[in-house]
Amino acid sequence: MNKFDEIYETIKSESFEELEIERKKANNLRTIPIITSICVSILISLLLHSLIIFPIFIGLFVGFLLSMLKTEYRNKFKNAVIKRFIEEYDSNLCYKPNSGISSSIYDRGFRESYDSYSSDDLIEGMIDNTYPISFAEVHTEIETEDSDGNRSSATVFHGAFACIGSRHNFRTPIMIHSDKGFFGKLFNKKNKIEMDSEVFEKYFDVHAENGIATMQILTSDVMNLMIDFKEKYKTKFEITLNGSNIYIRFYTGSIFEPSLSKKGLDKDFLKKYYDIINFTFDFSKLINKSVNEADI
Amino acid sequence: MVTIIVIIIAVLLIIIVQYNSMVSLKKKVEQSSSSIEVYLKQRFDLLPNLVETVKAYAKYEKETLEKIIEMRKQYMNNSSDLEEGARLNNECDKVVFLAEKYPELKADAQFLNLQKNLSKLESQLQAARRIYNSNVTIYNTKISVFPNNILAGIFGFKTANLFNINENEAKNINVNLT
């Protein structure tokens, strides 16, 4: 039995009956307001001859009720399942669903312009009792304006973000981003490092000022770990080594968000996060190992 | 007539773009080759001290050590030869591995310091080698594919050789002490 199965079985054996009742209740209740609102809307529209304001009002009210139901279940789920899951993964880790990582830390890893920043689902702790780690969901948005002056928000990044400490100080950043294709490469040739792995080059672009240090850090083991994760999970992810930290972000969208229609201990749901956290740990350990071995 | 002119201009443009691309890749190969030379020279600069330290403990190796010093002298006089550099680099590793046979040498502070510096330079050399080989592979592919191979022939672009240190060989050397 591998580590994930052990964690899953441990959590499964614990009593989550109350949570499951809560989920079923929320799931059943959400159909009642929807049906009621549809019925009331049709009735009002027929009686008042297409007065559209009432159905809209009722729709908004139902939406509000639904989000209340979901938030309540979501909080209970995170505090029960995710908290236990993280504790079982590594007892050095602590999960705080309502806390996040500050934007200043995020900016040190990934410099890009955005107008709004939010973060929650924070996991904090130490890797091997040596390197501090912060892992959280991050959502950045930029405001756009069309030719008519209508403003709208567009997501810049939404997913999991991790910041891990390193004993080494990366004086100039090493950026490992997803391959930007032919044109992306054509216009972004500055400090591009050609890696000696064809498969790695297919998936990633590496930019750094110090090519030698980059090659010393990105050993074949590191590159293989990244390739394996990319090929297995197809998740887009990017890495920056800057200052005394390793920054990783995964384009996963919301993390740890339960679905009302799925049971609380959905194995695939937990496996996805297990693999992401596991990769973050393995990658950080490997980078720190290669930095120490190369004595950079 | 216009069509012919357009075709000629298009062909000329392709030639110019491809030629510049080949020149740029060749430059990259040359630059990365220089990096290797720098690290090789830094490593070989440590050789006289290393040999002197080893000599004190491994007297029977005098001949081998003198041969290495002679090789170093030759390399320094005819630098830029990567193959020669790779050979001397392997000899350099052999000297370090002598410590396995001489416990007193293994414990010598100066030897340990030299060994540490040599390993650090070896790691940088390996990184430089990977950059060089990566650039060589891209360059060689570029000048080998059609129609670049025709242009490469006309403008005298020749394939570059990969730089092989043979890590495994370097790390598993059995020094003959007899």
Side-chain angles (χ1 to χ4, degrees):
Chain A
M1 192 184 275
N2 63 34
K3 196 182 171 188
F4 171 74
D5 289 328
E6 278 175 28
I7 296 172
Y8 180 74
E9 290 305 323
T10 310
I11 298 174
K12 204 177 155 190
S13 65
E14 291 169 2
S15 174
F16 285 104
E17 282 162 17
E18 200 185 313
L19 188 75
E20 193 54 14
I21 293 165
E22 191 81 31
R23 184 191 67 81
K24 279 179 183 164
K25 200 171 83 183
N27 195 32
N28 293 336
L29 278 173
R30 75 173 179 173
T31 55
I32 297 167
I34 292 170
I35 294 164
T36 317
S37 74
I38 292 168
C39 293
V40 173
S41 303
I42 293 168
L43 195 70
I44 290 172
S45 299
L46 285 173
L47 287 173
L48 300 173
H49 300 288
S50 76
L51 194 61
I52 203 82
I53 190 79
F54 288 106
I56 291 171
F57 176 75
I58 289 164
L60 287 171
F61 181 68
V62 169
F64 174 72
L65 277 180
L66 275 176
S67 73
M68 289 274 285
L69 282 170
K70 197 172 176 183
T71 306
E72 204 183 327
Y73 169 68
R74 175 182 164 268
N75 290 339
K76 283 183 180 169
F77 174 85
K78 285 185 174 181
N79 281 310
V81 177
I82 304 298
K83 204 166 199 166
R84 282 292 296 121
F85 170 67
I86 299 298
E87 280 169 6
E88 279 298 317
Y89 180 80
D90 191 326
S91 56
N92 289 315
L93 298 177
C94 170
Y95 174 60
K96 299 169 189 167
N98 298 319
S99 301
I101 292 177
S102 77
S103 58
S104 60
I105 294 175
Y106 178 78
D107 292 344
R108 268 179 250 150
F110 302 97
R111 279 181 196 170
E112 58 197 6
S113 57
Y114 56 80
D115 295 310
S116 74
Y117 176 95
S118 63
S119 177
D120 61 4
D121 288 311
L122 175 70
I123 298 169
E124 273 183 321
M126 300 290 278
I127 297 179
D128 289 346
N129 284 322
T130 315
Y131 309 108
I133 175 170
S134 301
F135 181 101
E137 179 183 323
V138 165
H139 191 184
T140 58
E141 287 180 306
I142 193 158
E143 277 187 15
T144 52
E145 199 175 310
D146 63 16
S147 52
D148 298 327
N150 300 318
R151 294 177 82 86
S152 61
S153 291
T155 294
V156 180
F157 169 74
H158 191 195
F161 167 73
C163 170
I164 307 107
S166 169
R167 276 183 189 160
H168 180 69
N169 186 17
F170 304 97
R171 287 184 196 95
T172 53
I174 297 170
M175 290 171 285
I176 311 159
H177 290 178
S178 288
D179 183 73
K180 289 180 172 68
F182 177 76
F183 289 106
K185 275 183 179 163
L186 201 67
F187 298 110
N188 195 11
K189 278 186 173 174
K190 199 186 169 198
N191 295 330
K192 165 99 174 67
I193 310 278
E194 298 292 343
M195 301 304 292
D196 53 349
S197 160
E198 218 174 292
V199 189
F200 187 86
E201 275 292 312
K202 191 173 92 183
Y203 296 129
F204 306 101
D205 282 340
V206 180
H207 291 267
E209 275 180 36
N210 189 342
I212 300 293
T214 305
M215 280 293 189
Q216 282 179 286
I217 293 164
L218 297 182
T219 59
S220 55
D221 286 349
V222 174
M223 289 194 291
N224 287 339
L225 182 76
M226 291 176 68
I227 292 166
D228 287 348
F229 185 78
K230 181 77 186 174
E231 288 184 339
K232 205 168 172 186
Y233 303 104
K234 314 281 181 210
T235 306
K236 183 182 171 187
F237 66 98
E238 294 173 333
I239 294 161
T240 301
L241 312 176
N242 191 15
S244 53
N245 289 308
I246 300 163
Y247 303 91
I248 311 176
R249 65 176 178 184
F250 302 89
Y251 287 74
T252 53
S254 297
I255 61 167
F256 304 140
E257 290 300 324
S259 163
L260 283 179
S261 56
K262 282 184 180 172
K263 62 176 182 173
L265 282 177
D266 180 34
K267 201 171 181 177
D268 292 338
F269 173 85
L270 288 178
K271 182 77 169 72
K272 180 183 164 189
Y273 299 115
Y274 173 86
D275 289 331
I276 288 173
I277 295 169
N278 217 26
F279 171 78
T280 307
F281 268 60
D282 289 347
F283 181 81
S284 313
K285 284 181 196 172
L286 213 49
I287 288 285
N288 279 317
K289 190 179 154 218
S290 63
V291 163
N292 290 339
E293 276 178 2
D295 192 18
I296 299 164
Chain B
M1 186 63 184
V2 177
T3 319
I4 294 168
I5 292 169
V6 170
I7 290 170
I8 290 169
I9 291 171
V11 169
L12 277 173
L13 272 174
I14 291 170
I15 290 172
I16 292 167
V17 169
Q18 292 305 325
Y19 175 80
N20 285 342
S21 169
M22 284 190 281
V23 169
S24 143
L25 288 173
K26 196 182 172 191
K27 280 261 170 275
K28 266 185 149 182
V29 170
E30 284 166 1
Q31 275 171 5
S32 44
S33 161
S34 311
S35 295
I36 291 181
E37 278 170 37
V38 169
Y39 289 115
L40 280 174
K41 274 183 181 160
Q42 282 182 13
R43 266 200 121 202
F44 301 155
D45 282 344
L46 297 175
L47 261 177
N49 272 343
L50 181 73
V51 165
E52 283 308 309
T53 313
V54 172
K55 246 185 198 173
Y57 297 94
K59 291 190 174 78
Y60 299 106
E61 295 300 323
K62 200 181 163 191
E63 206 175 299
T64 316
L65 297 171
E66 275 169 2
K67 192 185 128 199
I68 290 169
I69 288 293
E70 190 54 39
M71 277 177 81
R72 178 185 173 270
K73 233 184 240 173
Q74 275 175 12
Y75 176 80
M76 291 302 192
N77 290 337
N78 317 306
S79 55
S80 303
D81 186 352
L82 287 185
E83 266 181 49
E84 192 62 38
R87 263 196 297 276
L88 183 54
N89 190 57
N90 286 344
E91 294 297 322
C92 190
D93 285 326
K94 280 183 190 174
V95 179
V96 176
F97 277 91
L98 275 175
E100 297 299 320
K101 302 278 178 185
Y102 298 94
E104 298 95 338
L105 175 64
K106 219 176 172 180
D108 186 279
Q110 198 182 350
F111 178 78
L112 288 173
N113 189 34
L114 283 163
Q115 195 181 32
K116 194 185 164 197
N117 288 337
L118 281 167
S119 333
K120 196 174 173 177
L121 284 166
E122 176 65 24
S123 164
Q124 288 167 330
L125 181 64
Q126 291 296 349
R129 180 184 66 88
R130 284 174 61 201
I131 294 175
Y132 172 79
N133 283 351
S134 178
N135 288 337
V136 165
T137 308
I138 295 167
Y139 168 74
N140 284 350
T141 310
K142 181 85 184 178
I143 63 166
S144 306
V145 294
F146 180 80
N148 295 349
N149 53 352
I150 298 169
L151 293 177
I154 295 167
F155 294 112
F157 288 96
K158 285 175 187 155
T159 52
N161 292 328
L162 293 169
F163 180 63
N164 293 313
I165 294 179
N166 201 344
E167 289 170 60
N168 294 331
E169 191 185 294
K171 282 176 184 168
N172 298 304
I173 296 160
N174 287 316
V175 181
N176 186 4
L177 293 172
T178 55

Coordinates of all heavy atoms in Angstrom, one line a residue, chain B residues 40 44 67-68 70-92 163-164:
Chain B
L40 N 38.4 24.2 -17.4 CA 39.5 23.2 -17.5 C 40.8 23.8 -17.0 O 41.5 23.2 -16.2 CB 39.6 22.7 -19.0 CG 38.7 21.7 -19.5 CD1 38.9 21.4 -21.0 CD2 38.9 20.3 -18.8
F44 N 43.1 22.7 -14.0 CA 44.5 22.4 -14.3 C 45.5 23.3 -13.5 O 46.6 22.9 -13.2 CB 44.9 22.4 -15.8 CG 44.0 21.4 -16.6 CD1 43.8 21.6 -17.9 CD2 43.4 20.3 -16.0 CE1 43.0 20.8 -18.7 CE2 42.6 19.5 -16.7 CZ 42.4 19.7 -18.0
K67 N 54.3 12.7 -15.6 CA 53.7 12.6 -16.9 C 52.5 13.6 -17.0 O 52.3 14.3 -18.0 CB 53.2 11.2 -17.1 CG 52.8 10.9 -18.6 CD 52.2 9.5 -18.7 CE 50.9 9.6 -19.4 NZ 50.1 8.4 -19.2
I68 N 51.7 13.6 -15.9 CA 50.6 14.5 -15.8 C 51.0 16.0 -15.9 O 50.4 16.8 -16.7 CB 49.7 14.3 -14.6 CG1 49.0 12.9 -14.7 CG2 48.7 15.3 -14.3 CD1 48.4 12.4 -13.5
E70 N 53.6 17.1 -17.3 CA 54.1 17.3 -18.7 C 52.9 17.5 -19.6 O 52.9 18.4 -20.5 CB 54.9 16.1 -19.2 CG 55.6 16.3 -20.5 CD 56.5 17.5 -20.5 OE1 57.2 17.8 -19.5 OE2 56.5 18.1 -21.6
M71 N 51.8 16.7 -19.4 CA 50.6 16.9 -20.2 C 50.0 18.2 -20.0 O 49.5 18.9 -20.9 CB 49.6 15.8 -19.8 CG 49.7 14.5 -20.4 SD 48.5 13.3 -19.8 CE 47.1 13.7 -20.8
R72 N 50.0 18.7 -18.7 CA 49.4 20.0 -18.4 C 50.2 21.1 -19.1 O 49.6 22.0 -19.7 CB 49.5 20.2 -16.9 CG 49.0 21.6 -16.5 CD 49.2 21.9 -15.0 NE 48.8 23.2 -14.7 CZ 49.6 24.3 -14.7 NH1 50.9 24.1 -15.1 NH2 49.2 25.5 -14.5
K73 N 51.6 21.0 -19.1 CA 52.4 22.0 -19.8 C 52.0 22.1 -21.3 O 51.9 23.1 -21.8 CB 53.9 21.6 -19.6 CG 54.8 22.7 -19.0 CD 56.2 22.2 -19.0 CE 56.7 22.2 -17.6 NZ 58.0 21.6 -17.5
Q74 N 51.9 20.9 -21.9 CA 51.6 20.8 -23.3 C 50.2 21.5 -23.6 O 50.0 22.2 -24.5 CB 51.6 19.4 -23.8 CG 53.0 18.9 -24.1 CD 53.0 17.4 -24.5 OE1 52.0 16.8 -24.7 NE2 54.2 16.9 -24.6
Y75 N 49.2 21.2 -22.7 CA 47.9 21.7 -22.8 C 47.9 23.2 -22.7 O 47.3 23.9 -23.5 CB 46.9 21.1 -21.8 CG 45.5 21.7 -21.9 CD1 44.6 21.3 -22.9 CD2 45.2 22.8 -21.1 CE1 43.4 21.8 -23.0 CE2 43.9 23.3 -21.2 CZ 43.0 22.9 -22.1 OH 41.8 23.5 -22.3
M76 N 48.6 23.7 -21.8 CA 48.7 25.2 -21.5 C 49.3 25.9 -22.7 O 49.0 27.0 -23.1 CB 49.5 25.5 -20.3 CG 48.7 25.1 -19.0 SD 47.1 25.8 -18.9 CE 46.6 25.5 -17.2
N77 N 50.3 25.2 -23.4 CA 50.9 25.8 -24.5 C 50.1 25.7 -25.8 O 50.1 26.7 -26.6 CB 52.3 25.1 -24.8 CG 53.3 25.4 -23.7 OD1 53.2 26.4 -23.1 ND2 54.3 24.5 -23.6
N78 N 49.3 24.6 -26.0 CA 48.5 24.5 -27.1 C 47.0 24.5 -26.7 O 46.3 23.5 -26.8 CB 48.7 23.2 -27.9 CG 50.2 22.9 -28.1 OD1 50.9 23.8 -28.6 ND2 50.6 21.8 -27.6
S79 N 46.6 25.5 -26.0 CA 45.2 25.5 -25.5 C 44.2 25.5 -26.6 O 44.5 25.5 -27.8 CB 45.0 26.7 -24.6 OG 45.3 27.9 -25.3
S80 N 42.9 25.4 -26.2 CA 41.7 25.4 -27.1 C 41.5 24.0 -27.7 O 40.6 23.8 -28.4 CB 41.8 26.4 -28.3 OG 42.0 27.6 -27.8
D81 N 42.3 23.0 -27.3 CA 42.0 21.7 -27.8 C 41.2 20.9 -26.7 O 41.7 20.5 -25.7 CB 43.4 20.9 -28.0 CG 43.1 19.6 -28.7 OD1 42.0 19.2 -28.8 OD2 44.1 18.9 -29.1
L82 N 39.9 20.8 -27.0 CA 39.0 20.3 -26.0 C 39.3 18.8 -25.7 O 39.2 18.3 -24.6 CB 37.5 20.4 -26.4 CG 37.0 21.9 -26.3 CD1 35.5 21.9 -26.6 CD2 37.2 22.5 -24.9
E83 N 39.7 18.1 -26.8 CA 39.9 16.6 -26.6 C 41.1 16.4 -25.7 O 41.1 15.6 -24.8 CB 40.2 16.0 -28.0 CG 39.0 15.4 -28.6 CD 39.3 14.8 -30.0 OE1 40.2 14.0 -30.0 OE2 38.6 15.1 -30.9
E84 N 42.2 17.2 -25.9 CA 43.3 17.1 -25.0 C 43.0 17.5 -23.6 O 43.4 16.9 -22.7 CB 44.4 18.1 -25.6 CG 45.8 18.0 -25.0 CD 46.4 16.7 -25.3 OE1 46.2 16.1 -26.4 OE2 47.1 16.1 -24.4
G85 N 42.1 18.5 -23.5 CA 41.6 18.9 -22.2 C 40.9 17.8 -21.5 O 41.0 17.6 -20.3
A86 N 40.0 17.1 -22.2 CA 39.2 16.0 -21.6 C 40.1 14.9 -21.1 O 39.9 14.4 -20.0 CB 38.3 15.5 -22.7
R87 N 41.2 14.6 -21.9 CA 42.2 13.6 -21.5 C 42.9 14.0 -20.2 O 43.0 13.2 -19.3 CB 43.2 13.3 -22.6 CG 42.8 12.1 -23.5 CD 44.0 11.7 -24.3 NE 44.5 12.7 -25.3 CZ 43.9 12.9 -26.5 NH1 42.9 12.2 -26.9 NH2 44.4 13.8 -27.3
L88 N 43.3 15.2 -20.2 CA 44.1 15.7 -19.0 C 43.1 15.8 -17.8 O 43.5 15.5 -16.6 CB 44.7 17.1 -19.3 CG 45.5 17.7 -18.2 CD1 46.6 16.8 -17.7 CD2 46.1 19.0 -18.6
N89 N 41.9 16.1 -18.0 CA 40.9 16.2 -17.0 C 40.7 14.8 -16.3 O 40.6 14.6 -15.1 CB 39.6 16.7 -17.5 CG 38.6 17.0 -16.4 OD1 38.9 17.8 -15.5 ND2 37.4 16.3 -16.5
N90 N 40.7 13.8 -17.2 CA 40.6 12.4 -16.7 C 41.8 12.0 -15.8 O 41.7 11.3 -14.8 CB 40.4 11.4 -17.8 CG 39.0 11.5 -18.4 OD1 38.1 12.0 -17.8 ND2 38.8 10.9 -19.6
E91 N 43.0 12.4 -16.3 CA 44.2 12.2 -15.6 C 44.2 12.9 -14.2 O 44.6 12.3 -13.2 CB 45.4 12.7 -16.3 CG 45.7 11.9 -17.6 CD 46.0 10.5 -17.4 OE1 46.7 10.1 -16.5 OE2 45.5 9.6 -18.3
C92 N 43.6 14.1 -14.2 CA 43.5 14.9 -13.0 C 42.6 14.1 -12.0 O 42.9 14.0 -10.8 CB 42.8 16.2 -13.4 SG 42.7 17.4 -12.1
F163 N 31.6 17.2 -26.6 CA 32.7 17.1 -25.6 C 32.3 16.1 -24.6 O 31.3 16.2 -23.9 CB 32.8 18.5 -24.9 CG 33.9 18.5 -23.8 CD1 35.2 18.3 -24.2 CD2 33.6 18.7 -22.5 CE1 36.2 18.3 -23.2 CE2 34.6 18.8 -21.5 CZ 35.9 18.6 -21.9
N164 N 33.1 15.0 -24.6 CA 32.8 13.9 -23.7 C 33.9 13.7 -22.7 O 35.0 13.5 -23.0 CB 32.6 12.6 -24.5 CG 31.4 12.6 -25.4 OD1 30.3 13.0 -24.9 ND2 31.5 12.2 -26.6

